[in-house]
Amino acid sequence: MNLATNTKIRMTRQRQQILDHLSSVKTHPIADELYQMVRQQMPRISLGTVYRNLEILSDSGIIQKIDVGGTQKRFDADISNHAHIRCVKCGCVGDLDVHIDVDFEDAARKACDFEVLRHRLEYSGICPDCKDKKAVLM
Amino acid sequence: MNLATNTKIRMTRQRQQILDHLSSVKTHPIADELYQMVRQQMPRISLGTVYRNLEILSDSGIIQKIDVGGTQKRFDADISNHAHIRCVKCGCVGDLDVHIDVDFEDAARKACDFEVLRHRLEYSGICPDCKDKKAVLM
DNA sequence: ATTGTATATAGTAACGATTTCTATTATCAT
DNA sequence: ATGATAATAGAAATCGTTACTATATACAAT
């Protein structure tokens, strides 16, 4: 497992900005959120450029694309394999360092005829902010 | 946990057909696939009707909507909580009866400030059909 | 069985996220 | 500095899904 594939990717100002912004946050922004961030520095950047670069960066293994349900893909500069939790109220996504000492892939191999590659553990719940809001409203 | 919420839903011919078709397959069809199936019996059914009914049926707890990554939502008449595996080649989705004896929610509660509600375990791999195809091509 | 009313329908238009297209511009090895 | 290749901005296209609207249907009360 190498972090980046051996394809050398050209580093453009746009790509660097996108990567910098993504690295600087611990949220898991969607493409449009990154577009808004980068636009502060590069007002003329195109939304298409953001999408294309997020694709290229995740294909290269430099960032990861996370698909936690909902309609939009999210991105994470932390490529370690960690679980995520999505707030059912506001849709925000947080990291989760759960260490469950189980060989998930092995368990699955015994239960189906697929060639099992990987697993993903995803949680849903209510984030601290929405918990507070709910308390106020009640 | 009740199977259906207490809202009584009106049973139309269209809704019944959709439910019947979904119950008769062990794949996890997307809305358009169900549309094609039902169209055999009801050529004039609208795709919008299929979408609306799948929404209503899953809201009522009669079926479940599954979000296994990819761009389309899938549906399952089996409402038991089981894991799914998605083929990275063809996108098909299979059931997986893995029994991992771990309290996932509890593990997560210790790792974040969210009010943890539920978890979802999803696998990716290569389905038997695509395994064969790959073997042939190599 | 007939009626009334709330809900569902077909068909179509609108929507939002993402991808594609194309002419121009930038990167980087030479 | 130059040239080949890849990336860009901007716009249009695509695709899954949802919303809209006039008509039709289900079902409870009569």
Side-chain angles (χ1 to χ4, degrees):
Chain A
M1 285 287 177
N2 49 350
L3 295 186
T5 59
N6 45 15
T7 20
K8 49 187 83 170
I9 72 165
R10 200 177 269 190
M11 194 46 71
T12 61
R13 296 184 306 115
Q14 290 83 343
R15 189 165 294 162
Q16 188 67 58
Q17 283 281 333
I18 292 165
L19 187 52
D20 287 351
H21 273 98
L22 184 58
S23 302
S24 76
V25 295
K26 47 189 198 316
T27 60
H28 303 78
I30 60 176
D32 193 68
E33 287 169 346
L34 280 162
Y35 174 55
Q36 301 303 338
M37 293 181 203
V38 177
R39 254 184 353 147
Q40 309 286 320
Q41 277 79 43
M42 309 182 78
R44 303 192 63 93
I45 194 173
S46 161
L47 179 56
T49 298
V50 175
Y51 271 102
R52 187 166 20 74
N53 277 304
L54 288 171
E55 197 63 31
I56 290 169
L57 288 168
S58 57
D59 282 352
S60 307
I62 297 168
I63 66 173
Q64 70 171 311
K65 191 196 286 192
I66 56 186
D67 197 342
V68 206
T71 50
Q72 287 137 302
K73 301 272 191 320
R74 294 183 172 269
F75 297 88
D76 193 343
D78 177 359
I79 54 174
S80 74
N81 188 17
H82 53 284
H84 291 108
I85 182 163
R86 149 180 292 263
C87 176
V88 295
K89 300 283 180 194
C90 71
C92 76
V93 173
D95 288 317
L96 213 52
D97 263 320
V98 281
H99 295 292
I100 295 171
D101 194 23
V102 167
D103 189 339
F104 285 98
E105 276 71 20
D106 195 57
R109 278 184 198 105
K110 291 166 184 156
C112 72
D113 296 329
F114 278 60
E115 180 184 330
V116 180
L117 293 174
R118 47 183 47 189
H119 78 278
R120 226 170 60 208
L121 181 56
E122 279 166 23
Y123 288 89
S124 56
I126 302 174
C127 74
D129 280 3
C130 288
K131 257 195 294 186
D132 291 349
K133 274 182 220 149
K134 201 173 67 172
V136 168
L137 291 172
M138 279 176 168
Chain B
M1 284 288 178
N2 49 351
L3 294 187
T5 58
N6 45 15
T7 22
K8 50 187 83 171
I9 73 165
R10 197 179 272 188
M11 194 48 70
T12 60
R13 294 183 306 117
Q14 291 83 342
R15 189 165 295 164
Q16 189 66 59
Q17 282 283 333
I18 292 166
L19 187 52
D20 286 351
H21 273 99
L22 184 58
S23 303
S24 76
V25 296
K26 47 188 197 318
T27 60
H28 303 78
I30 59 176
D32 193 67
E33 287 169 347
L34 280 162
Y35 174 54
Q36 301 304 337
M37 294 180 202
V38 177
R39 248 168 20 132
Q40 309 285 322
Q41 277 78 43
M42 311 181 78
R44 303 192 62 93
I45 193 171
S46 160
L47 179 56
T49 298
V50 176
Y51 272 102
R52 187 168 19 73
N53 278 305
L54 288 171
E55 198 63 32
I56 290 168
L57 288 167
S58 57
D59 282 352
S60 307
I62 297 168
I63 66 173
Q64 71 171 311
K65 192 196 286 191
I66 57 187
D67 196 342
V68 205
T71 49
Q72 287 138 301
K73 301 274 192 316
R74 293 182 171 270
F75 297 88
D76 194 343
D78 176 1
I79 55 175
S80 74
N81 188 17
H82 54 285
H84 292 109
I85 181 162
R86 148 180 294 262
C87 176
V88 295
K89 301 283 178 194
C90 71
C92 76
V93 173
D95 288 318
L96 212 52
D97 262 321
V98 281
H99 294 293
I100 295 171
D101 193 23
V102 167
D103 189 338
F104 285 98
E105 276 71 18
D106 194 57
R109 278 183 198 106
K110 290 165 183 156
C112 72
D113 297 330
F114 278 61
E115 180 183 329
V116 180
L117 293 174
R118 46 183 47 189
H119 79 278
R120 226 171 59 210
L121 181 56
E122 278 166 22
Y123 288 90
S124 55
I126 302 174
C127 75
D129 280 2
C130 288
K131 257 194 293 187
D132 292 347
K133 274 182 221 148
K134 202 174 69 173
V136 168
L137 292 171
M138 277 175 168

